[in-house]
Amino acid sequence: FARSGPRRGDRQTAVVNGRVLEHGAANPTARPRMSLRAKGTLALLLLAGYALAMYAYIEHERKAVLVNVTGLDRLRVQEDALTRASLSLSDALFVVNRTVARRADDYDGGRQDLAFAVEELKGPLRPIVADFPELEARYAAVQAGLEAFSTRASLANLFEVRAALNELANEVDREGIRARERRRTVNDGFRRDYERIAVVSLVLGLAGLGVFGVASQVFFSRLAAEIDTVRERAAAIVRGYRGAPLAIARRDEVGDLARAVDRMGADLAERERRIELGARQQMHRERMAAIGAMAANVAHEIGNPLAAISGLAQEMLANRDATKCALCRPELMLEQTDRIARMTRQIAEFAAQRSADVEPVDLNALGRAACDVLRFDARLRHAGIVFSETPGLPAAMAVPDHVTHIVMNLVLASIEHVPADALDSAVEVRTGAERGRLFVRVVPRISAAAQEANAKTFDDPARDSISRHLAKEMGGSLDIARGEKPGATLWLPALGEPAKT
């Protein structure tokens, strides 16, 4: 079996036992064709899309890391500011303690130093006071105590300033500890995120590379294997292979090549089939020509003796009463000479050279002549031939020699593989008309006790192929039925009717 047609939309042909079958009309729902170049472009686009997806993921994670870095910078600024504030508070507490050690009448000298030390606290506290509202309240308490001390320089007010400074220092220390803890936590998170991004990026890159590599390996391995298959099939077709088609369903250039190789095999098989059919037809024509020549020679050689014998028999018949020959039977001689003459005439008419073109023919005469000749075939010694004609049939448009050839093939194929004891009585050949077409029908009569022999009727692929080809050439068709009611019908167009195949 070989098929042809590398493109979608082409009809495909199959060659089975010398017969060509058309099949495989274009399927509108078939997958669209995708060339190797398109597949390569698609693979490149998929790879680019995967790379863009990885870039988007890494960019997203990078932005998250940048947020952590920004948080670390802010925490570092807070921690530095708290450290400077702690140092400034130490200086302020030192000034307060030094002022406490002075005499009460000497507080005015320490007042300016204390005011300057408290003013120095504004610099480190200003960047972080918005983040730590408690420090602002503590610093306000220090300023309030300083104002009270400036208004009335007493030891009690000085103690109030020192107490406020201590509370502010304790709050700065607490915030410093918390700031360091937060920075450590954020730093650990930054390290974990960085390591996670690195690992995930590596895994995604290796996974993408692995998938792309495996897909490429599978694709090119399959491509190479299918190209080798096509190459081997082409070599096999050259060596004479005419079997099943390639099982390649690709919709790219390799699939086109495989279908082209299948079509090449089908074309070669079709050409071989046509050559075989031509050789068989030529052999048939040569055989008919030989039979015709032999029949003409026989008719010529025996014609004169038959005429002489017939003349003598007629003379004997005319003079039998005068000679009083009771044992003479000249009518029997006349009957046998007429039989011989009729047989030679039938053979000569059957083997006569005919036109190879479609022309009006008498289907009854052609069928009768074929049956008369087939009665001499030794293969039909167990079965007779019954010819039933329908009077008044119109002329059929056919090639006379093709009709004779098909009828002989059908009669022989109907009984050739059937056991002799399975044939009931005869093979019936009849002509007729139906649905505006003429037909010649061959029906073997199988005995009721041997119905299993029905499967063997018309079991001759070579004759079947030739008969179908000849019928198609004439614009007719051939129907063969097997099974319980075997039979074969040759359909031909009548004169003036269009051909129906």
Side-chain angles (χ1 to χ4, degrees):
F1 178 90
R3 66 180 181 180
S4 68
R7 298 180 299 275
R8 289 190 304 118
D10 289 348
R11 293 187 64 82
Q12 298 175 350
T13 60
V15 180
V16 182
N17 295 327
R19 289 180 292 173
V20 177
L21 306 176
E22 292 188 354
H23 68 94
N27 183 5
T29 61
R31 291 182 295 113
R33 183 182 184 277
M34 178 176 286
S35 65
L36 291 175
R37 179 178 299 176
K39 289 180 180 179
T41 303
L42 178 61
L44 181 60
L45 292 176
L46 290 176
L47 184 62
Y50 184 76
L52 288 176
M54 280 192 62
Y55 172 77
Y57 167 77
I58 294 174
E59 181 65 17
H60 173 73
E61 295 296 334
R62 187 184 68 84
K63 290 179 179 179
V65 169
L66 287 178
V67 171
N68 289 335
V69 171
T70 303
L72 281 174
D73 291 340
R74 186 175 180 181
L75 289 174
R76 181 183 57 77
V77 171
Q78 290 178 354
E79 190 175 353
D80 291 344
L82 289 171
T83 301
R84 292 196 305 272
S86 179
L87 292 175
S88 299
L89 283 170
S90 298
D91 293 341
L93 286 172
F94 177 76
V95 172
V96 169
N97 290 329
R98 190 179 59 186
T99 304
V100 169
R102 291 183 178 184
R103 297 190 305 273
D105 56 356
D106 196 22
Y107 285 162
D108 292 337
R111 184 184 305 164
Q112 293 181 352
D113 294 339
L114 184 58
F116 179 77
V118 172
E119 187 66 24
E120 286 292 325
L121 289 175
K122 288 183 179 180
L125 290 178
R126 188 178 295 111
I128 59 175
V129 70
D131 297 327
F132 305 105
E134 186 66 23
L135 294 179
E136 187 176 6
R138 300 293 183 185
Y139 184 71
V142 172
Q143 287 183 324
L146 181 60
E147 290 178 0
F149 179 73
S150 299
T151 303
R152 184 172 178 271
S154 64
L155 186 59
N157 290 335
L158 191 57
F159 283 161
E160 289 292 336
V161 173
R162 187 171 64 178
L165 286 173
N166 283 327
E167 292 178 359
L168 179 60
N170 292 333
E171 186 64 27
V172 168
D173 289 339
R174 285 193 296 271
E175 293 297 340
I177 293 173
R178 284 195 288 266
R180 284 190 293 274
E181 290 297 330
R182 286 194 299 271
R183 184 172 59 82
R184 187 179 300 109
T185 302
V186 173
N187 191 41
D188 292 341
F190 169 77
R191 187 180 297 108
R192 287 194 301 271
D193 290 343
Y194 182 81
E195 293 175 353
R196 177 176 57 81
I197 294 172
V199 172
V200 171
S201 300
L202 179 61
V203 170
L204 289 177
L206 292 177
L209 182 62
V211 170
F212 184 77
V214 171
S216 300
Q217 180 67 22
V218 171
F219 175 79
F220 286 108
S221 298
R222 181 184 174 191
L223 181 64
E226 290 177 342
I227 290 176
D228 289 340
T229 301
V230 173
R231 176 178 54 79
E232 293 171 0
R233 176 56 56 83
I237 288 175
V238 171
R239 292 192 298 269
Y241 176 83
R242 300 295 182 268
L246 289 167
I248 296 178
R250 299 176 67 104
R251 308 299 303 178
D252 53 19
E253 289 83 354
V254 177
D256 292 346
L257 179 61
R259 285 182 286 276
V261 169
D262 287 339
R263 185 172 62 178
M264 178 183 70
D267 291 343
L268 289 175
E270 173 66 9
R271 182 180 178 185
E272 292 170 356
R273 187 187 68 86
R274 291 184 179 276
I275 292 174
E276 180 184 2
L277 288 175
R280 287 175 179 266
Q281 289 181 256
Q282 182 65 25
M283 185 183 301
H284 177 76
R285 285 193 292 268
E286 291 175 356
R287 186 184 297 117
M288 291 297 101
I291 293 175
M294 182 183 66
N297 291 331
V298 168
H300 176 73
E301 293 297 330
I302 69 176
N304 291 332
L306 283 177
I309 294 172
S310 178
L312 290 174
Q314 291 176 359
E315 184 177 354
M316 290 173 62
L317 182 61
N319 297 324
R320 182 171 56 181
D321 294 336
T323 58
K324 297 180 181 181
C325 181
L327 299 178
C328 294
R329 302 184 62 184
E331 66 275 5
L332 182 61
M333 295 173 60
L334 289 173
E335 179 182 349
Q336 297 303 319
T337 55
D338 288 342
R339 180 183 177 187
I340 294 173
R342 186 171 60 255
M343 290 173 57
T344 55
R345 186 170 58 253
Q346 288 175 350
I347 295 174
E349 290 176 355
F350 176 79
Q353 186 70 26
R354 297 185 178 94
S355 172
D357 299 326
V358 175
E359 60 183 25
V361 298
D362 184 354
L363 205 56
N364 288 331
L366 290 177
R368 188 186 311 110
C371 291
D372 289 341
V373 173
L374 282 171
R375 289 188 177 95
F376 298 102
D377 197 307
R379 287 169 289 187
L380 291 168
R381 62 182 179 273
H382 298 294
I385 299 179
V386 177
F387 179 69
S388 302
E389 64 180 64
T390 300
L393 283 180
M397 296 302 297
V399 179
D401 195 45
H402 287 6
V403 175
T404 302
H405 197 173
I406 293 173
V407 172
M408 294 180 67
N409 278 345
L410 293 178
V411 171
L412 294 175
S414 67
I415 55 93
E416 193 167 23
H417 300 290
V418 178
D421 55 358
L423 292 172
D424 194 2
S425 58
V427 178
E428 181 183 0
V429 180
R430 64 176 180 267
T431 61
E434 186 177 330
R435 299 190 300 273
R437 291 192 295 172
L438 307 181
F439 67 82
V440 180
R441 186 166 292 151
V442 178
V443 180
R445 300 301 182 185
I446 307 298
S447 63
Q451 290 298 313
E452 66 277 2
N454 286 332
K456 299 181 180 180
T457 58
F458 304 105
D459 186 16
D460 195 328
R463 285 197 176 99
D464 187 356
S465 175
I466 293 173
S467 299
R468 290 182 186 277
H469 176 72
L470 295 178
K472 187 175 181 180
E473 278 191 352
M474 296 185 294
S477 62
L478 181 63
D479 295 337
I480 297 179
R482 300 178 179 88
E484 294 182 1
K485 296 181 178 180
T489 304
L490 169 63
W491 296 95
L492 293 170
L495 179 63
E497 295 290 334
K500 298 179 181 179
T501 58

